[in-house]
Amino acid sequence: QVQLVESGGGLVQAGGSLRLSCAASGRTFSSYAMGWFRQAPGKEREFVQAISRIGTIYYADSVKGRFTISRDNAKNTVYLQMNSLKPEDTAVYYCAAGGFMSDDAGRYAYWGQGTQVTVSS
């Protein structure tokens, strides 16, 4: 089991930046692939980025060049650096942990409660 807690969300103007953090607890954090997903009101949960246990990155085209996922296994934390934010990035952002990196939410066994990101125009 692993428990995940997201933080760092908030209100930001278009073009601004935020860094989300996901703090994990549980055994062998470094053995999990980690992913970020987001969900806007009335929409399906959407894949954002993921990172494997060895640091390879998988990303959605919608955020390529703007968002960067990273992990610090010593701190049991995964980050999502978000730059050049757009109003369409507004959503609840969720951190997830799973056995391997995937863009499919169903492949992740553990989820945080989410953190709200709102981008104003």
Side-chain angles (χ1 to χ4, degrees):
Q1 293 283 337
V2 60
Q3 292 76 47
L4 306 173
V5 180
E6 302 96 334
S7 62
L11 175 64
V12 65
Q13 291 184 334
S17 298
L18 286 172
R19 189 181 75 161
L20 306 184
S21 297
C22 174
S25 61
R27 61 195 302 264
T28 321
F29 168 78
S30 62
S31 69
Y32 292 97
M34 303 295 297
W36 286 98
F37 291 76
R38 64 188 183 186
Q39 189 165 22
K43 296 184 178 180
E44 296 291 323
R45 188 163 296 187
E46 177 189 18
F47 170 73
V48 178
Q49 285 195 333
I51 186 167
S52 77
R53 60 183 295 179
I54 62 171
T56 55
I57 296 171
Y58 185 31
Y59 51 83
D61 287 343
S62 61
V63 303
K64 183 180 179 181
R66 299 190 298 120
F67 292 7
T68 303
I69 192 171
S70 62
R71 67 190 299 159
D72 186 339
N73 289 341
K75 296 181 179 179
N76 289 350
T77 301
V78 63
Y79 305 95
L80 185 67
Q81 178 66 48
M82 305 186 295
N83 299 322
S84 301
L85 283 161
K86 304 175 181 179
E88 52 263 46
D89 295 319
T90 295
V92 176
Y93 282 71
Y94 296 92
C95 175
F100 78 98
M101 185 171 60
S102 177
D103 61 359
D104 181 356
R107 303 296 293 180
Y108 295 87
Y110 309 106
W111 292 83
Q113 295 299 305
T115 185
Q116 177 70 49
V117 172
T118 303
V119 184
S120 65
S121 60

